Amino acid sequence: MKSKIILPGTLIIFLAWLGPSIGLGRWNFYTDKVSFLTNKLWIRCMDDQKNWSSWMDPFDHLQKSYFSTIANGKGKLIGTYLGLYEILLDEYKALVKECEKSGSCDPMEKVLTTVEHGKVKKLVSDICLSKYQKSEQIQFKLMTFWPKKYSERKLDKRWGRVQEISFPPELVTKNSALTSKEK
Amino acid sequence: MKNFWDNFLTKEQGLNTIRLFQLAFLGWLFFHSVAMLPYGDQIWGPNGYPLVDFNFTDIRALGTLLSFPQITPFYQWFVGAHLICIVLAMFSVLPRTMYLLLFLLTINLNTRALGTTSGGTTLSELLLLYMIFVNTTGKELKSSQLKTALHNLFFWIMRLQIVFIYASAILSKTQHALWMEGLATYYIFQSGQSSQPWAGPIAVSYPIIPIFGNYLTIAFQFLFPLLVWVKKFKPYIILVGMVLHLMMSFVMGLFFFGILMSLVYILFYEESFSKSILEFPKKLFRGNIIANG
């Protein structure tokens, strides 16, 4: 009697596990998405004397340090920072499409009011305030580097194409979170 | 067939294999959390940088507790409890309860730190869920028919999950022109995020290397779901998989993902092989005692 209940029961559990993945078209849910692109957040800060610093990649040393040792949590920290870059870029792209359709809006103006922009602005503010305590303004741009095409492999250039989305200078968001480890 | 079903209901399968797998998997999970601890404030803390601020008030709140501003400052308690549960599960102290707690704690830590997640973390959550239903003690317990059936079912589900990952990966690749043309790894190696800095120049100067890697990956992902069930070919397909995933760890920088995927192959080990690995430290210890008089 028990086996009459248990066997169909186990089959139902199995189908309940497999069904949603296939039925909802989420069969590629488990696969890792590896990027062909190189995304970088470039920032500059207004220093204590109110002069702009040069453009810098604040995570460059972290990335180099991660790849030199690999078996540590720095890669996860980079993922946290660059994840913010990606959600802001996705939001901006969506707004560009939306504004192209309506023909009556400025995607940059709109993206400045989004939560995603606020998150990146907070990160950049924290970095600038950790470098210059009296920094009042920040600016950042989203850089995307495309690899060289196979047909371009013998050309003397580092990247195939570079895209830059530049945000206007803004006042810092005060609430520093970075510790000395990440400065 | 009748014999299979009788065994399915009366005898727990793969006890040594599951015990070996759980030790390796929990070791990975422990190291995964410990490696992020020095950066805990940025990854989980109240002044951190979460990608999404969850605001659920229904059952989903159970998996997003760390998003509540009142709870976020106590993220160290979550990490601490996570590590303690891992150690207790390793020593088989209330294993099913520990796996349930680990599942909930892991989901909370991962959803707070979405930027750190990958296919590997998704897989680890699923494996923790499945482990609730299997006997991980390595010893035959006098279980009810239902518990035995669940153990055997979820042991199969865990292995099918791995096969399913490769089947879905190969389906995804067949829809991607660059993988089919053999150039995907040529481009991946040039990415500053997905590869060691020295990999890009090598890929551009000697494209035959990434092209070979591209087709080897496709061949492996296509063959794994088929050959891993054939005793004669199993060791070879697992060896190729381990080489590919360790390369992902150390060349592409997907360290935790690559290591986890290398460890999940344990689920396919023959029971006698798993047993000999588990007994190896004991034999070594005994040998040392005899040698030292």
Side-chain angles (χ1 to χ4, degrees), chain A residues 2 7 17 27 30 32 35-39 63 66-67 73-74 76 119 122 126 148 150 153 177 182, chain B residues 5 32 39 42 47 49-50 53 116 119 126 130 145 164 168 178 187 190-194 196 253 257:
Chain A
K2 261 185 183 175
L7 289 181
W17 161 71
W27 50 268
Y30 309 107
D32 239 336
S35 176
F36 298 161
L37 308 176
T38 303
N39 299 322
Q63 194 123 20
Y66 171 61
F67 273 115
K74 287 175 186 165
K76 297 283 184 181
K119 285 175 185 286
K122 177 180 177 281
D126 286 347
K148 275 201 278 192
Y150 186 71
R153 68 189 185 283
E182 288 75 41
Chain B
W5 283 117
H32 184 258
Y39 318 106
Q42 277 75 59
N47 291 319
Y49 306 97
D53 295 304
T116 70
L126 290 168
Y130 304 152
Q145 221 177 26
F164 191 59
S168 59
L178 284 177
Y187 289 113
Q190 287 186 66
S191 164
Q193 268 158 252
S194 311
Q196 287 277 8
F257 173 72

Side-chain angles (χ1 to χ4, degrees), chain A residues 23-173:
Chain A
L24 300 174
R26 292 173 65 202
W27 50 268
N28 60 354
F29 179 65
Y30 309 107
T31 57
D32 239 336
K33 292 182 186 84
V34 182
S35 176
F36 298 161
L37 308 176
T38 303
N39 299 322
K40 287 184 185 289
L41 179 70
W42 281 10
I43 70 165
R44 64 175 187 163
C45 318
M46 189 170 272
D47 67 18
D48 298 345
Q49 279 77 45
K50 300 198 173 178
N51 298 316
W52 282 107
S53 68
S54 51
W55 287 101
M56 57 188 153
D57 172 2
F59 314 127
D60 190 45
H61 71 286
L62 195 62
Q63 194 123 20
K64 279 180 186 153
S65 164
Y66 171 61
F67 273 115
S68 64
T69 47
I70 290 284
N72 56 57
K74 287 175 186 165
K76 297 283 184 181
L77 189 60
I78 296 166
T80 301
Y81 294 150
L82 288 180
L84 294 175
Y85 166 105
E86 280 162 16
I87 57 166
L88 179 58
L89 184 65
D90 287 347
E91 185 64 26
Y92 180 75
K93 281 180 182 170
L95 288 170
V96 167
K97 273 189 188 168
E98 193 184 303
C99 289
E100 269 173 8
K101 265 188 190 171
S102 68
S104 61
C105 64
D106 176 9
M108 181 54 75
E109 201 176 288
K110 275 197 146 186
V111 82
L112 291 177
T113 61
T114 59
V115 177
E116 290 76 10
H117 170 266
K119 285 175 185 286
V120 176
K121 189 183 161 192
K122 177 180 177 281
L123 172 65
V124 177
S125 296
D126 286 347
I127 295 167
C128 284
L129 286 170
S130 71
K131 289 182 185 297
Y132 310 104
Q133 285 183 342
K134 291 176 188 165
S135 186
E136 287 175 359
Q137 285 197 65
I138 54 153
Q139 193 179 8
F140 59 89
K141 47 190 177 184
L142 307 181
M143 306 292 296
T144 307
F145 300 88
W146 269 260
K148 275 201 278 192
K149 283 182 187 167
Y150 186 71
S151 57
E152 296 173 332
R153 68 189 185 283
K154 287 180 182 161
L155 298 181
D156 187 24
K157 61 176 187 177
R158 174 68 182 90
W159 303 107
R161 186 159 72 88
V162 180
Q163 183 196 60
E164 177 182 323
I165 300 168
S166 197
F167 287 72
E170 296 172 86
L171 291 174
V172 294
T173 307

Side-chain angles (χ1 to χ4, degrees), chain B residues 64-201:
Chain B
T64 53
L65 290 173
L66 268 174
S67 285
F68 287 93
Q70 303 91 325
I71 297 179
T72 315
F74 302 102
Y75 77 89
Q76 287 108 328
W77 288 90
F78 278 73
V79 182
H82 191 245
L83 297 177
I84 290 169
C85 286
I86 290 173
V87 174
L88 292 177
M90 272 182 166
F91 286 99
S92 300
V93 179
L94 301 172
R96 291 179 204 272
T97 312
M98 287 308 135
Y99 277 109
L100 178 63
L101 288 173
L102 273 174
F103 174 67
L104 292 171
L105 287 164
T106 305
I107 284 198
N108 270 284
L109 291 169
N110 287 347
T111 47
R112 175 69 183 162
L114 280 181
T116 70
T117 58
S118 66
T121 46
T122 309
L123 175 62
S124 69
E125 288 168 10
L126 290 168
L127 288 171
L128 286 171
L129 181 67
Y130 304 152
M131 301 280 271
I132 297 170
F133 302 97
V134 295
N135 171 5
T136 54
T137 62
K139 291 168 197 156
E140 211 164 330
L141 303 173
K142 283 176 186 167
S143 301
S144 64
Q145 221 177 26
L146 177 66
K147 273 187 181 171
T148 306
L150 281 174
H151 167 91
N152 289 331
L153 174 72
F154 278 92
F155 181 38
W156 271 98
I157 283 182
M158 283 157 82
R159 289 185 287 178
L160 285 171
Q161 180 70 63
I162 309 309
V163 167
F164 191 59
I165 285 172
Y166 287 120
S168 59
I170 194 66
L171 266 172
S172 165
K173 284 185 175 62
T174 54
Q175 293 172 14
H176 206 300
L178 284 177
W179 278 102
M180 291 295 101
E181 289 164 9
L183 290 174
T185 40
Y186 166 82
Y187 289 113
I188 290 169
F189 281 177
Q190 287 186 66
S191 164
Q193 268 158 252
S194 311
S195 282
Q196 287 277 8
W198 46 260

